[in-house]
Amino acid sequence: MNPSEFIHPEDAAALRQLESIPGFPTLVKKFYAMGFEKLQYGMNMASNIRLSNSQLPEIYKRLPPICEKLGIAEPEFYLAMNPNPNAYTFGDTKIFITVTSGLVEMLNEEELDAVLAHECGHILCRHVLYHSVANYILSGMDMSGLLGTFSVPLRFSILYWQRKSELSCDRAGAIITSPQTVAYVMARLAGGPQGITKDVNLKEWAKQADAYEEIRNDGLWNKTLQTYAIMAQDHPFAAVRVREILKWGQTPQYTAIKDGLGATGTQCPSCHKVINSNWKFCRYCGHKI
């Protein structure tokens, strides 16, 4: 799968803006020269349990089919003892996904698949390299003085892009499961386990994002306050993510991608993407089949 098929336009725009910052490519090279990727990889290897067919296979088996469907190489997969539900992906040459015990306990199998697909979305979209660099910048490390006074604006530029990148990877989660499943994951993370949030009204919750936008756009001062409230966060607000993914689930783009996952292997003679044999027109390029 090509990330261009589902990437959120705000993610693509924010990434272009980030890559245009003078000195950012130098920073990425410096990150690797200083060995921080290997440092984090070693710490994860020594601290957490690597999952496999012979090590907690009931959890491990969720990952390979997702990687196959998204067309990525399978990363290493780890379990960390942490009651806080969380998952993260790190590395570029040695990529790994880590999930916490709190996440596994809170989610059902389909919801866990949505989270793993979200993390695989970061790999597919090539987010992981910049996320890895960002983690060190955001933790206060100044790369041996490389950034200087530029660290503050770069920090907020990276955080802005990270928030937008999450919207793309929510889409990857929806491709493997469904928009509703991704939204229910948000419900668990925002409101608590399934015993409490199983009956949450997703559409009503998504409307809270509309109410938030009304507050945010109610004059320059309110917009400034709301911008200040989000600018230090690396994830969008939960209601905004729910609204975005439910809205995308109603688009022809999402329908075409889901249909393509069950495709017969026939290729469009124009764009060469895999299509269903019952399509009259390619839903990617419009070519008549």
Side-chain angles (χ1 to χ4, degrees):
M1 182 172 292
N2 192 311
S4 63
E5 297 176 36
F6 67 88
I7 193 168
H8 195 286
E10 293 181 14
D11 173 15
L15 183 58
R16 288 194 298 269
Q17 183 178 7
L18 181 64
E19 290 177 330
S20 69
I21 295 175
F24 188 73
T26 302
L27 175 64
V28 174
K29 292 179 182 178
K30 185 71 172 179
F31 171 82
Y32 277 97
M34 296 180 73
F36 287 128
E37 182 190 28
K38 185 168 287 187
L39 168 67
Q40 189 68 31
Y41 176 76
M43 291 171 59
N44 188 76
M45 174 69 74
S47 302
N48 301 321
I49 300 172
R50 184 174 177 181
L51 306 176
S52 68
N53 280 319
S54 57
Q55 183 68 276
L56 302 178
E58 289 303 308
I59 304 174
Y60 166 75
K61 70 179 183 180
R62 314 303 311 175
L63 181 62
I66 294 171
C67 295
E68 183 177 355
K69 287 181 180 179
L70 293 179
I72 64 170
E74 185 182 324
E76 295 180 9
F77 190 15
Y78 292 84
L79 175 68
M81 202 300 291
N82 189 327
N84 293 317
N86 195 18
Y88 55 88
T89 306
F90 194 92
D92 188 60
T93 58
K94 295 286 286 187
I95 302 176
F96 61 86
I97 293 175
T98 301
V99 296
T100 65
S101 55
L103 183 82
V104 176
E105 284 188 327
M106 177 176 284
L107 305 182
N108 63 33
E109 288 189 343
E110 187 178 20
E111 291 164 353
L112 181 58
D113 285 349
V115 172
L116 293 176
H118 176 104
E119 296 303 319
C120 288
H122 283 307
I123 298 171
L124 180 59
C125 293
R126 300 287 294 174
H127 290 156
V128 185
L129 172 60
Y130 290 170
H131 278 188
S132 301
V133 176
N135 285 339
Y136 281 95
I137 296 174
L138 302 180
S139 65
M141 297 183 69
D142 190 16
M143 298 297 181
S144 298
L146 179 69
L147 300 178
T149 57
F150 192 56
S151 61
V152 173
L154 180 58
R155 170 188 173 88
F156 290 123
S157 295
I158 289 176
L159 282 167
Y160 177 79
W161 166 68
Q162 280 194 286
R163 292 194 296 273
K164 301 306 180 181
S165 74
E166 297 299 326
L167 299 177
S168 292
C169 295
D170 285 345
R171 291 181 172 190
I175 290 167
I176 296 299
T177 58
S178 70
Q180 289 73 25
T181 301
V182 173
Y184 276 121
V185 170
M186 295 299 108
R188 311 291 180 249
L189 297 176
Q194 192 173 29
I196 299 172
T197 57
K198 62 182 176 65
D199 294 324
V200 67
N201 186 318
L202 296 177
K203 290 184 179 179
E204 185 172 336
W205 188 19
K207 289 179 182 178
Q208 291 178 215
D210 295 330
Y212 161 71
E213 291 295 339
E214 290 180 8
I215 296 171
R216 185 174 180 274
N217 295 318
D218 185 21
L220 179 60
W221 178 240
N222 284 323
K223 187 169 186 176
T224 301
L225 290 175
Q226 292 299 330
T227 299
Y228 179 78
I230 190 68
M231 65 188 299
Q233 297 189 34
D234 57 7
H235 283 64
F237 290 131
V240 173
R241 294 176 70 177
V242 169
R243 180 188 61 183
E244 286 292 314
I245 199 61
L246 292 181
K247 184 190 301 182
W248 188 64
Q250 301 299 314
T251 63
Q253 184 186 33
Y254 175 73
T255 300
I257 292 172
K258 289 293 284 187
D259 287 349
L261 284 180
T264 61
T266 303
Q267 284 190 334
C268 170
S270 176
C271 68
H272 305 293
K273 291 184 178 179
V274 178
I275 59 174
N276 275 337
S277 58
N278 61 346
W279 289 359
K280 294 182 178 179
F281 294 89
C282 176
R283 295 184 182 179
Y284 299 108
C285 70
H287 183 82
K288 187 175 181 179
I289 307 302

